[in-house]
């Protein structure tokens, strides 16, 4: 039997049919076109799932359940998406509405939590029981796995590591606080830090790697300049990785998981970023004398983590 996993994003709805070995055997994708009414978005989820079923060459009779990872907070008791800023949802009875469409059990979860579950079970976590997944993207996404289960907190809003403050009275964040980790450690933050450095260093190779267009500065152009030996790029990346490490040390000091995985496009730089991060975390962690230490490892599933994790959801 198979499971359907849905990664509901603000831009795309990506669906996969998952087999018993956690492999995706069929895919479907449609545009989210948010914001629009929940009824329409849920119809699009079913449309993408139909495409995945057809791609897998199976029928819904072969499917045991549907799991959905969504932005925002999900009340597991009621099956409602209580709030999603990206989708403009407020107290949407999603479980009920989707079960009416699929005629299958439907399980919902925050998208970062679903991705963490996917990595912990079928990705880089190798089945570890205590695990944290951190994604460095537009913001800093995170999910916590404790004793093999998603940690949601008492109000289903737990695990928002991106909004712990690492710089009191620092950069204002969209959440209303100042100095949040994601304002310093997201991929968006890296680009902002590079642009600021470029404006004061016209001779930097960062200008070459973005073809002189500040709008084209991205993670690739920054690391390309670093690989070319540019000192400005090196200073930017070193400072950025310091910010990443401060937040990771906080996560490790609070939770002491077996492993923390780093995802997002920047994680593709591999040991180039992981080694300095590990070295800096060593100087910041409380568990300096402990025999067991949290491993800091790269994510393995990429964009499929949310799909696979969603498919693994149950009550």
């Amino acid at each position: 039997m198979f499971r359907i996993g849905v990664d509901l994003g603000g831009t795309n709805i990506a669906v996969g049919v998952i087999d018993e070995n956690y492999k995706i055997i069929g895919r479907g994708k449609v545009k989210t076109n948010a914001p629009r009414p929940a009824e329409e978005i849920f119809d699009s989820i079913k449309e993408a799932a139909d495409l995945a079923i057809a791609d897998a060459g199976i029928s819904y009779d072969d499917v045991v359940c549907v799991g959905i990872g969504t932005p925002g907070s999900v009340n597991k008791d009621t099956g409602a998406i209580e709030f999603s800023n990206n989708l403009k949802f407020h107290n949407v009875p999603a479980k009920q509405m989707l079960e009416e469409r699929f005629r299958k059990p439907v399980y919902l979860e925050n998208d970062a939590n679903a991705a963490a579950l996917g990595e912990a079970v079928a990705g880089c976590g190798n089945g570890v029981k205590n695990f944290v997944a951190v994604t460095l993207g537009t913001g800093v996404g995170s999910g916590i796995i404790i004793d093999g289960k998603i940690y949601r907190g008492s109000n289903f809003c737990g695990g928002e590591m991106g909004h712990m403050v690492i710089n009191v009275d620092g950069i204002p964040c969209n959440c209303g606080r100042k100095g949040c980790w994601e304002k310093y450690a997201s991929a968006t933050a890296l680009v902002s830090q590079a642009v600021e450095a470029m404006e004061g260093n016209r001779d930097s190779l960062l200008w070459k790697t973005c073809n002189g267009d500040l709008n084209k500065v991205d993670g690739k152009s920054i690391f390309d300049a670093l690989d070319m030996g540019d000192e400005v790029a090196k200073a930017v990346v070193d400072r950025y990785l310091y910010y990443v490490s401060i937040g990771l040390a906080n996560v490790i000091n609070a939770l002491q998981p077996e492993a923390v995985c780093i995802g997002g496009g920047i994680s593709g730089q591999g040991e180039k970023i992981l080694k300095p991060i590990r070295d800096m975390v060593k100087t910041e962690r409380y568990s300096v004398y402990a025999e067991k230490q949290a491993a800091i490892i790269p994510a393995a599933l990429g964009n499929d983590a949310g799909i696979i994790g969603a498919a693994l959801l149950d009550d």
Side-chain angles (χ1 to χ4, degrees), residues 111-261:
D111 52 359
N113 289 347
L117 181 64
E119 286 287 358
V121 175
C124 63
N126 293 317
V128 300
K129 294 295 184 182
N130 299 296
F131 180 83
V132 178
V134 174
T135 301
L136 308 177
T138 303
V140 172
S142 57
I144 301 170
I145 307 297
I146 297 178
D147 290 333
K149 301 291 185 181
I150 293 170
Y151 176 76
R152 303 178 179 92
S154 61
N155 58 1
F156 311 105
C157 295
E160 292 290 343
M161 296 297 185
H163 295 289
M164 62 180 170
V165 170
I166 67 165
N167 185 5
V168 176
D169 293 328
I171 301 170
C173 181
N174 294 336
C175 76
R177 307 186 80 191
K178 292 181 179 179
C180 287
W181 188 28
E182 77 170 28
K183 299 304 292 184
Y184 296 85
S186 62
T188 306
L190 172 61
V191 170
S192 296
Q193 292 158 20
V195 168
E196 182 180 359
M198 291 167 66
E199 290 174 337
N201 295 273
R202 301 296 302 187
D203 294 332
S204 169
L205 292 174
L206 284 163
W207 288 97
K208 179 179 180 180
T209 56
C210 72
N211 295 319
D213 186 349
L214 290 177
N215 293 318
K216 294 183 179 178
V217 178
D218 58 15
K220 182 180 185 305
S221 69
I222 295 166
F223 281 97
D224 283 349
L226 176 67
D227 291 341
M228 295 165 67
D230 184 69
E231 289 299 320
V232 176
K234 183 178 186 305
V236 168
V237 171
D238 286 350
R239 189 64 177 171
Y240 170 76
L241 295 180
Y242 173 72
Y243 290 136
V244 173
S245 301
I246 290 297
L248 286 178
N250 290 345
V251 171
I252 290 169
N253 287 345
L255 298 171
Q256 295 298 340
E258 295 166 73
V260 179
C261 84

Side-chain angles (χ1 to χ4, degrees), residues 22-24 27 114-125 261 298-309 312:
Y22 313 130
K23 302 300 183 183
I24 298 177
R27 296 178 184 268
L117 181 64
E119 286 287 358
V121 175
C124 63
C261 84
L301 300 178
N303 293 333
D304 289 341
I307 294 174
I308 295 172
L312 297 176

Side-chain angles (χ1 to χ4, degrees), residues 287-304:
S287 57
V288 60
Y289 297 114
E291 180 179 347
K292 294 177 67 176
Q293 299 287 351
I296 299 174
I297 56 180
L301 300 178
N303 293 333
D304 289 341

